[in-house]
């Protein structure tokens, strides 16, 4: 079972769209997939047409319920969801640092009925997000191809370095996904800058800007089902293939080049 946190500090980066549609594309390919919606706003829950959870979401975070037992089937075959709840915000205010440990343990104790667990984190480095990073083995950072989004990458990578050293030595893969790309010169320049700065961590696949994502969101189904022949649906399928079958040049393991490349970048404060 592979556990992957999808995280970004910047709103509008395509974080939840990436989590939901990557999960759907993996499920479409025959993999059983679980999405865990850790965002109190419940965006992934809404996007998959599931009602938010109630108080039980809080109970999950204090360890009185097993995370997998709260999974519900979605309309998309092979894709399950642990729905979000406004109670997660209450957990953040009351549990504080204990929440980080609880989230990490909940993820680590999931049974292995799923091939992939995709965790949609809040759009900040909150206790919930840090708990997810402490519990998973892989991280995906979607980055909108706009200059303002570049500033959000460094803090997330710095937190990955810190947690890998302090709490989670099994955190052995980081991938940066250029998202909401378009044909403008600015968008191309940002992709080029990402590739220069972060090299093998940047995925070959780029997720193009498309109104189909918003339309699919309104219909509460993944875009690979809503508009299966659209360019952006093909992009998410390509990303799923790249994630599911990483090549030897992707730095996918603890001895991969991503870790060697990451240390000087974080040390330089980028």
């Amino acid at each position: 079972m592979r556990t992957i946190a999808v995280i970004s500090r910047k709103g509008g980066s395509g974080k939840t769209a990436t989590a939901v549609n990557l999960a759907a594309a993996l499920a479409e390919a025959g993999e059983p997939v679980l999405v865990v919606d850790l965002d109190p706003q419940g965006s992934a829950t809404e996007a998959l047409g599931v009602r938010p959870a109630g108080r039980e979401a809080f109970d999950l975070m204090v360890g009185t319920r097993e995370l997998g037992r709260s999974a519900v089937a979605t309309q998309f075959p092979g894709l399950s969801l642990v729905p979000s709840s406004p109670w997660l915000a209450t957990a953040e205010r009351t549990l504080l640092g204990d929440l980080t440990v609880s989230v990490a343990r909940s993820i680590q104790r999931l049974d292995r009925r799923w091939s992939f667990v995709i965790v949609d984190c809040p759009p900040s480095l909150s206790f919930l997000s840090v708990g997810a990073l402490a519990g998973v083995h892989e991280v995906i950072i979607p980055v909108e191809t706009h200059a303002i989004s570049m500033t959000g990458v460094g803090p997330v990578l710095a937190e990955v370095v810190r947690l890998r050293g302090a709490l989670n030595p099994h955190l052995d893969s980081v991938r940066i996904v250029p998202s909401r790309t378009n044909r403008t010169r600015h968008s191309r320049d940002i992709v080029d800058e990402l590739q220069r700065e972060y090299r093998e961590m940047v995925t070959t696949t780029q997720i193009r800007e498309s109104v189909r994502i918003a339309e699919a969101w309104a219909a509460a189904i993944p875009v690979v089902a809503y508009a299966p022949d659209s360019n952006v649906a093909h992009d998410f399928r390509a990303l799923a293939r790249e994630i599911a079958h990483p090549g030897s040049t992707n730095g996918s393991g603890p001895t991969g080049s991503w870790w060697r490349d990451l240390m000087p970048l974080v040390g330089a404060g980028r």
Side-chain angles (χ1 to χ4, degrees):
M1 181 177 72
R2 291 173 59 184
T3 52
I4 305 172
V6 182
I7 185 169
S8 174
R9 286 191 65 194
K10 294 290 184 180
S13 65
K15 174 185 63 66
T16 297
T18 298
V20 167
N21 289 292
L22 170 61
L26 288 166
E28 184 183 61
E31 302 284 1
V33 182
L34 175 67
V35 173
V36 178
D37 189 356
L38 280 186
D39 188 345
Q41 297 179 24
S43 298
T45 300
E46 179 183 352
L48 288 169
V50 177
R51 294 184 64 180
R55 163 77 193 212
E56 62 267 26
F58 184 92
D59 296 335
L60 284 173
M61 296 304 106
V62 297
T64 58
R65 293 191 60 183
E66 196 272 318
L67 188 62
R69 292 185 179 181
S70 293
V72 297
T74 70
Q75 300 178 63
F76 197 86
L79 180 58
S80 301
L81 170 74
V82 173
S84 179
S85 165
W87 276 92
L88 291 177
T90 301
E92 284 233 289
R93 291 194 302 269
T94 57
L95 299 179
L96 303 177
D98 290 339
L99 181 60
T100 293
V101 177
S102 295
V103 170
R105 288 177 176 170
S106 294
I107 294 169
Q108 292 165 350
R109 291 172 179 171
L110 278 166
D111 63 59
R112 304 183 70 84
R113 78 183 92 161
W114 297 283
S115 296
F116 290 87
V117 175
I118 310 293
V119 183
D120 186 35
C121 298
S124 62
L125 287 174
S126 64
F127 292 113
L128 286 164
S129 297
V130 173
L133 293 176
V136 302
H137 290 182
E138 304 176 47
V139 177
I140 289 176
I141 308 171
V143 180
E144 181 186 11
T145 52
H146 190 286
I148 196 171
S149 298
M150 289 289 292
T151 61
V153 180
V156 175
L157 292 177
E159 191 67 10
V160 168
V161 170
R162 185 184 73 82
L163 287 170
R164 191 179 192 270
L167 294 175
N168 187 3
H170 302 294
L171 187 54
D172 58 13
S173 175
V174 174
R175 292 182 178 88
I176 296 170
V177 181
S179 300
R180 303 187 67 177
T181 63
N182 55 57
R183 297 181 180 179
T184 65
R185 174 68 176 272
H186 182 71
S187 180
R188 293 196 302 271
D189 287 346
I190 295 299
V191 173
D192 290 343
E193 185 175 353
L194 284 171
Q195 292 170 341
R196 284 194 305 271
E197 290 281 333
Y198 302 112
R199 297 181 281 279
E200 287 85 358
M201 283 182 282
V202 180
T203 58
T204 301
T205 304
Q206 301 175 21
I207 307 300
R208 283 169 279 191
E209 178 76 90
S210 174
V211 70
R212 299 300 183 199
I213 295 178
E215 292 173 351
W217 193 294
I221 55 175
V223 74
V224 295
Y226 176 82
D229 295 324
S230 63
N231 287 334
V232 73
H234 290 308
D235 292 344
F236 281 117
R237 293 189 186 103
L239 180 63
R241 289 192 295 270
E242 187 170 348
I243 296 300
H245 307 289
S248 59
T249 60
N250 284 55
S252 58
T255 59
S257 62
W258 77 271
W259 185 250
R260 183 181 64 247
D261 291 346
L262 187 55
M263 294 298 290
L265 292 175
V266 172
R270 294 181 184 175

